[in-house]
Amino acid sequence: MIMGESLRLLESVRLALNMKGIPYTTKWVNFFEIEPEMRKLGLPPNEGAWMDLKYTVPTIYDPNTQRAVTDSHKINTYLEDQYPDTFPLFPKGTRALQAAFDLTYGQMLNTIFPSIVFNIYSTVCKQDKAYFRTTREAWFGDVRLEDIAPKGEKLEEIIKAWEKLLGDIGGWIDAGGPGAGYFGGDAPVQADVDIVAMLMFLTKIAPADHSLVKSLETAGGGRWRVYLGEFSKWTARSA
Amino acid sequence: MIMGESLRLLESVRLALNMKGIPYTTKWVNFFEIEPEMRKLGLPPNEGAWMDLKYTVPTIYDPNTQRAVTDSHKINTYLEDQYPDTFPLFPKGTRALQAAFDLTYGQMLNTIFPSIVFNIYSTVCKQDKAYFRTTREAWFGDVRLEDIAPKGEKLEEIIKAWEKLLGDIGGWIDAGGPGAGYFGGDAPVQADVDIVAMLMFLTKIAPADHSLVKSLETAGGGRWRVYLGEFSKWTARSA
C-alpha cells in the first residue's frame, strides 16, 4: 500500500499503518524515480512543501478507494478518516492542535538537517549523487556538502538548541499529568508518531558518536531511548 | 481573584475566569509594583520565563485554597484542576498538545513585539518610563526604543511572517474539519484563549493604521475579526 522513500528514513506513515493494522506492501524509490512515479499516480505537484519540493515520498496508493495521497500528515489523516475503526491517531478535539504541532516538527528537522545532510548524501544511490549534491548545496547558499555541518561554536549552539527542544518536548509530554507518557496521554497520537519518526531518522542516518545522537541518548535522563523502545512493536516492517 | 497587569494587555487569565464563570476582583499594578506585590504573596522568582523576567503578571491569589499562582498557562491549568466542573479549556488528551502550542504563542509574540514596543512605552505610567526604556532597549542590543520598530524591507519581512503565521493558524483550525471554528473544534480551548489574548493585545496597543493590525483585518478574508467577536461575551470585565 505504501511507496516508501529511497532513504528509508521518515517512517511516520509506515508507523501509522502498523499501528492501525492496515496491510501494505512497500515500493522503494530513489530520488530520481520520485517525480515519474508520482506522475504515474496522477498526483499534482505539492504546494508549499518543505524546501518547495514538488514531489515527495512517502506517498500511498489505496487500492480500496483507488486514491493516491502524498505528504505524511495528509496520508495519516486520510487513513484515520477512511479506516475509522483502527488505532486512533487523531482523537476528537485534537486535529487542529496536532496540525499546529507541525511547527515543532519543522523546528526539529531544521535543527538537525544541516548536521546530517552529508550523512544522507553517503546513503543515496549513484544516480542520485549529482542531483542531491546540486540541490542541497543550493539550499545552503552554495556551500559544499562536506562543509554544511556546523562546527565549533556554531555546533555548540545547535547542540544547545537541540537539547532545549528535546527538553521542551519532554516537558510538554509531562504536562499531560502523572502517568502521561505520550502527547496523547496514556496512548500515542500523531504528534508522537512525528517525534518518533524524526528520532528514528536521526539515529539511523547518523553514527552513534554524532553529537546530536549523543545528546539524544543523555537528554532527559535517557527518556528518549525508552520512548523509542515503546514504539518497537510498531516498527517491524511489513512487506 | 486576579491581579491584573499594568498594561491591561494579555488577558488570557481573565478570559479563562470569565469562560469558567469564576468570580474575581482585579488589582491593577504598574511595572514597579510587580516584584513587591509578588513577594508579598510569597512567590519565588520565575525560572526560564520569557526574556528571563523574574516576576510577572498576571498572577492570581485564590482565597479558597490560599494559593498564589503566576504565569498565565500555569494559572489556567490550576483553575482547570481546582474547578473541574467549569468550562473545560484542557479537554482530555489535549494538555500536552496545548503545552506544545507555546511555540506558536511565542512565535506570535516575537513577531509583533518589536513593532509595538514603543506603543507600549507610551502607555506606561511616569514611574515606569525609565525602567521600561532601560530594560527593553537592552533586550534589543541597546537600540533606542524609538528605533526598534522595523521599517522598510525589514518591516515587509515582518508583515510577511505575520501573515504566514496567521495563515498557518487559520489552516490548523480548519484542519479540525468542517464546522471547526476553534482549536478545540466546536468549542474554544486554551490554545484559542492564547490566540485571542494575543490579538486583543495587538489591537488594543497599536493604532488601527498599524501595519500588523491592518494585516490582521484583511488576513484570511477577515476571519480574525469574526473570531475575536466570538469571544466578546467573555471579554466583559468583572470587578
Side-chain angles (χ1 to χ4, degrees):
Chain A
M1 191 180 191
I2 190 176
M3 282 202 357
E5 47 192 300
S6 58
L7 303 171
R8 314 193 172 204
L9 299 177
L10 283 161
E11 306 228 32
S12 63
V13 170
R14 208 206 266 279
L15 273 165
L17 288 164
N18 289 341
M19 292 167 90
K20 288 176 171 294
I22 300 171
Y24 61 94
T25 57
T26 307
K27 179 172 186 177
W28 298 107
V29 292
N30 292 297
F31 277 104
F32 72 90
E33 297 163 303
I34 295 175
E35 181 167 341
E37 287 285 346
M38 299 301 112
R39 285 180 181 276
K40 232 191 278 174
L41 290 170
L43 284 164
N46 296 323
E47 271 177 49
W50 189 67
M51 290 313 210
D52 211 26
L53 290 163
K54 290 303 173 210
Y55 295 93
T56 53
V57 280
T59 291
I60 62 159
Y61 174 75
D62 182 347
N64 295 333
T65 57
Q66 300 186 306
R67 273 196 62 189
V69 188
T70 191
D71 177 294
S72 60
H73 265 233
K74 289 204 184 94
I75 296 169
N76 288 1
T77 307
Y78 165 83
L79 295 173
E80 186 94 354
D81 291 338
Q82 194 62 36
Y83 304 100
D85 296 331
T86 57
F87 191 112
L89 291 174
F90 299 91
K92 192 179 172 315
T94 69
R95 206 165 279 210
L97 289 165
Q98 295 209 79
F101 197 73
D102 256 8
L103 207 61
T104 302
Y105 187 73
Q107 201 158 316
M108 291 182 91
L109 187 56
N110 289 333
T111 304
I112 65 177
F113 192 73
S115 293
I116 54 168
V117 63
F118 189 67
N119 301 82
I120 300 174
Y121 176 74
S122 65
T123 73
V124 306
C125 76
K126 216 173 142 186
Q127 287 127 297
D128 278 336
K129 293 273 186 208
Y131 160 81
F132 190 88
R133 177 177 288 279
T134 316
T135 51
R136 275 48 176 176
E137 290 184 349
W139 290 1
F140 288 92
D142 290 322
V143 176
R144 284 189 70 227
L145 269 184
E146 287 76 356
D147 302 325
I148 291 170
K151 292 180 190 69
E153 257 182 56
K154 190 99 189 107
L155 175 61
E156 294 303 314
E157 267 172 48
I158 293 284
I159 294 173
K160 243 171 106 175
W162 176 236
E163 290 177 350
K164 163 88 167 61
L165 195 50
L166 289 173
D168 285 348
I169 294 169
W172 297 332
I173 292 174
D174 296 343
Y182 304 101
F183 273 94
D186 51 10
V189 293
Q190 175 62 33
D192 296 286
V193 169
D194 279 339
I195 301 291
V196 169
M198 187 67 74
L199 300 185
M200 283 171 63
F201 171 47
L202 173 64
T203 53
K204 274 198 252 168
I205 204 73
D209 66 348
H210 189 287
S211 41
L212 297 184
V213 177
K214 285 197 289 182
S215 288
L216 178 65
E217 294 295 341
T218 54
R223 71 182 291 167
W224 299 110
R225 181 54 63 192
V226 177
Y227 183 76
L228 277 169
E230 300 282 348
F231 286 82
S232 59
K233 54 183 171 293
W234 295 304
T235 53
R237 291 195 165 148
S238 185
Chain B
M1 192 179 190
I2 189 174
M3 283 203 356
E5 47 193 299
S6 57
L7 303 171
R8 312 194 175 204
L9 298 176
L10 283 162
E11 306 227 34
S12 62
V13 170
R14 205 205 266 279
L15 272 166
L17 288 163
N18 289 342
M19 292 167 89
K20 289 177 170 295
I22 299 170
Y24 61 94
T25 57
T26 306
K27 178 172 188 176
W28 297 109
V29 292
N30 291 297
F31 278 104
F32 72 91
E33 297 163 304
I34 295 175
E35 181 167 341
E37 287 285 347
M38 300 301 113
R39 284 178 181 277
K40 232 192 280 172
L41 290 170
L43 283 165
N46 296 323
E47 271 178 49
W50 190 67
M51 290 314 214
D52 211 24
L53 290 163
K54 292 301 175 210
Y55 294 93
T56 54
V57 280
T59 291
I60 63 161
Y61 175 74
D62 182 349
N64 295 333
T65 58
Q66 301 187 307
R67 273 196 63 188
V69 188
T70 191
D71 176 292
S72 59
H73 265 234
K74 288 204 186 92
I75 296 169
N76 288 1
T77 307
Y78 165 83
L79 294 173
E80 186 93 355
D81 291 338
Q82 195 61 38
Y83 303 101
D85 297 330
T86 57
F87 191 111
L89 291 175
F90 299 90
K92 192 181 173 316
T94 69
R95 207 167 275 211
L97 289 165
Q98 296 208 79
F101 197 73
D102 255 8
L103 208 59
T104 302
Y105 187 73
Q107 201 157 315
M108 291 182 91
L109 187 56
N110 289 332
T111 304
I112 65 178
F113 192 73
S115 294
I116 54 170
V117 64
F118 189 67
N119 300 83
I120 301 173
Y121 175 74
S122 65
T123 71
V124 306
C125 76
K126 216 173 141 186
Q127 287 127 296
D128 278 338
K129 294 272 187 209
Y131 160 81
F132 191 88
R133 178 177 287 280
T134 317
T135 52
R136 274 49 178 174
E137 290 184 347
W139 291 1
F140 288 93
D142 290 321
V143 176
R144 284 187 71 227
L145 268 185
E146 287 77 355
D147 302 325
I148 291 170
K151 292 181 190 70
E153 255 181 57
K154 190 100 190 106
L155 176 60
E156 294 304 315
E157 266 171 48
I158 294 283
I159 294 172
K160 243 170 106 173
W162 176 235
E163 290 177 350
K164 163 85 167 61
L165 195 50
L166 289 173
D168 285 348
I169 294 168
W172 296 332
I173 292 175
D174 297 342
Y182 305 101
F183 272 95
D186 50 12
V189 293
Q190 175 63 33
D192 296 286
V193 170
D194 278 339
I195 302 290
V196 168
M198 188 66 73
L199 300 185
M200 284 170 62
F201 171 46
L202 174 64
T203 54
K204 273 198 254 170
I205 204 73
D209 66 349
H210 189 287
S211 41
L212 296 185
V213 177
K214 285 198 289 183
S215 287
L216 178 64
E217 293 295 341
T218 54
R223 70 182 291 166
W224 299 110
R225 181 53 63 194
V226 177
Y227 184 76
L228 278 168
E230 302 281 348
F231 286 82
S232 59
K233 54 184 171 293
W234 295 305
T235 54
R237 290 195 166 152
S238 187

